[in-house]
Amino acid sequence: MIKFLDLQKVTAKYSEEIREAVRRVVDSGWYLQGEENKRFESDYAKYIGTRHAVGVANGLDALIWIFRAYVELGVMKPGDEVIVPANTYIASILAITENGLKPVLVEPKLDTYQIDDSLIEEAITPRTKAVLIVHLYGQCAYTDKIGELCKRHGLKLVEDNAQAHGCVYEGRKTGSLGDAAGHSFYPGKNLGALGDAGAVTTDDELLAETVRALANYGSTKKYVFKYAGRNSRLDEIQAAILDVKLRHLDEDVELRKLVARYYIENIKHPDIVLPKVDNWERHVFHIFPVRSGRRDELQRYLTERGVQTIIHYPIPPHKQECYKEWNGLSFPVTERIHAEELSLPISPVMTEVEVKEVVEIINAWD
């Protein structure tokens, strides 16, 4: 079996460093909000290129706290609108509705799967307060046009950077391109913890302070609660592990790109649409998505031949039961992507033999 992602092998690459980091935390007797958090937050902020990084419990919470902080600071209020790509993972939408804000869904481009920047301006209304871009599959969603639109209309630009750690746009890392960004360190991410973890990055000191308080029960000082917050803290063990893996992130991204290049150069099947990559700095291939009108047949074929694949994602947000008020909406491009997308195995631990085998099996598909 060629696994979609072999997390045992990924972790084994840095097992000695990880064991030492965990031992250090255990021996310290300090397991929350200690030196490991401070070190990782400092190192991650430096890596991303922002003044602040705030560790939180997971990537969804990172996005929730950004919007909640803007509400608490009076930048937004319930009922305000946030423009977001229609084809994103549901966490992007949940973070908006959790705060009583209204998601305004905008179609992506079919060739890049990123939000179509030519459609954003027509979606702006007097209630619009932000644009949430999602660097889906690891490809940069930011464009100069999006940045200019946000500035001209006075909108906050928020990044969902859950899938794009290490991605670069014009010399700047994703996660530093907007006003704030949410990051997920779910184990399968390019920078993955050994459990749930997340972070918010921003240059806005007041926003960072507010996020930190909200994620710590709303407390700005021990036993003093400015906000009605929640417990959403990054623990010391995960922070220490992430700091180890951060040192190897760029190397791992380059290994992913080697796999992606081989796929793109060698998969020749006429019924398969490969990812479009105009600039290799702007894609870190968290996912290698292909499309086919025979997607389900292709997945069965690959499974039968020992190649594990995943669909990202089978049901778009506007067709989910939890948002049944949207179920009658039509987003043809989004729906086509969700009906045709299939993710091939890709990771920094795939062997050359495995990559070639995947290609040979795909090219032999009838």
Side-chain angles (χ1 to χ4, degrees):
M1 166 69 73
I2 298 175
K3 291 184 179 181
F4 178 76
L5 174 62
D6 193 331
L7 283 177
Q8 286 180 305
K9 285 185 179 179
V10 170
T11 303
K13 283 184 70 178
Y14 313 117
S15 59
E16 291 306 314
E17 293 173 84
I18 289 171
R19 287 193 182 96
E20 171 56 28
V22 172
R23 183 200 62 75
R24 187 173 66 243
V25 175
V26 172
D27 289 350
S28 76
W30 195 289
Y31 308 125
L32 285 169
Q33 296 183 302
E35 292 304 314
E36 300 295 344
N37 261 267
K38 291 177 184 175
R39 181 181 300 111
F40 174 66
E41 287 178 346
S42 175
D43 289 346
Y44 195 61
K46 188 180 298 182
Y47 177 83
I48 294 296
T50 54
R51 291 175 60 203
H52 306 282
V54 181
V56 297
N58 54 68
L60 172 57
D61 278 4
L63 291 172
I64 287 173
W65 297 134
I66 289 170
F67 288 112
R68 172 73 183 280
Y70 280 135
V71 171
E72 294 288 355
L73 294 171
V75 176
M76 301 177 192
K77 60 183 181 301
D80 284 343
E81 296 172 353
V82 178
I83 292 171
V84 63
N87 65 316
T88 186
Y89 181 58
I90 202 164
S92 312
I93 312 289
L94 290 171
I96 298 168
T97 58
E98 174 80 8
N99 286 287
L101 303 168
K102 180 183 176 183
V104 176
L105 307 181
V106 169
E107 287 269 53
K109 294 180 179 178
L110 185 59
D111 58 350
T112 66
Y113 313 124
Q114 308 307 314
I115 191 168
D116 189 336
D117 60 6
S118 70
L119 302 178
I120 292 175
E121 190 157 29
E122 65 189 54
I124 296 172
T125 76
R127 298 301 301 272
T128 307
K129 291 296 186 291
V131 175
L132 173 60
I133 58 173
V134 182
H135 305 299
L136 196 66
Y137 305 144
Q139 186 162 11
C140 182
Y142 179 85
T143 65
D144 290 339
K145 183 173 183 176
I146 293 174
E148 187 274 328
L149 275 173
C150 288
K151 287 179 182 175
R152 179 152 47 89
H153 290 275
L155 307 177
K156 294 296 183 184
L157 178 58
V158 181
E159 298 172 75
D160 183 338
N161 200 49
Q163 299 186 7
H165 314 119
C167 192
V168 176
Y169 181 85
E170 300 295 331
R172 298 171 61 195
K173 294 283 201 316
T174 54
S176 70
L177 302 173
D179 295 286
H183 307 252
S184 169
F185 305 123
Y186 178 79
K189 304 297 187 185
N190 287 21
L191 178 60
L194 300 191
D196 270 323
V200 171
T201 55
T202 183
D203 285 330
D204 185 334
E205 185 170 0
L206 182 57
L207 182 73
E209 290 173 354
T210 307
V211 167
R212 190 178 298 282
L214 287 166
N216 187 34
Y217 298 96
S219 175
T220 53
K221 178 167 119 173
K222 195 171 180 69
Y223 302 132
V224 177
F225 302 93
K226 185 174 182 178
Y227 310 105
R230 281 212 319 254
N231 179 0
S232 177
R233 299 175 300 205
L234 175 63
D235 74 64
E236 288 285 277
I237 286 179
Q238 298 302 342
I241 291 167
L242 286 166
D243 208 49
V244 167
K245 296 182 78 176
L246 178 61
R247 296 195 290 268
H248 303 284
L249 175 57
D250 288 342
E251 172 193 340
D252 283 349
V253 166
E254 290 306 312
L255 291 170
R256 285 176 173 273
K257 289 182 181 181
L258 287 177
V259 177
R261 281 185 187 275
Y262 192 86
Y263 280 159
I264 289 171
E265 290 171 1
N266 293 280
I267 293 175
K268 304 296 185 183
H269 199 287
D271 289 344
I272 292 176
V273 179
L274 297 168
K276 178 184 177 183
V277 185
D278 292 327
N279 185 318
W280 282 83
E281 277 198 329
R282 298 179 190 174
H283 208 319
V284 293
F285 291 98
H286 169 59
I287 301 296
F288 190 91
V290 300
R291 288 195 353 263
S292 175
R294 301 161 59 200
R295 188 265 309 280
D296 294 345
E297 180 186 334
L298 173 61
Q299 186 175 43
R300 284 193 298 272
Y301 167 81
L302 291 172
T303 301
E304 288 167 0
R305 282 150 185 82
V307 178
Q308 188 179 46
T309 59
I310 295 179
I311 297 170
H312 291 94
Y313 303 94
I315 305 172
H318 70 282
K319 295 297 184 183
Q320 296 287 352
E321 186 177 354
C322 62
Y323 291 120
K324 53 183 175 291
E325 66 272 22
W326 297 343
N327 288 174
L329 297 178
S330 175
F331 294 96
V333 177
T334 291
E335 289 159 24
R336 181 175 178 183
I337 292 169
H338 284 257
E340 295 182 352
E341 192 277 340
L342 186 68
S343 302
L344 302 184
I346 189 166
S347 79
V349 294
M350 278 190 78
T351 67
E352 186 176 346
V353 170
E354 288 174 327
V355 178
K356 288 181 176 179
E357 186 176 349
V358 171
V359 170
E360 289 169 4
I361 290 171
I362 288 174
N363 286 339
W365 181 38
D366 291 334

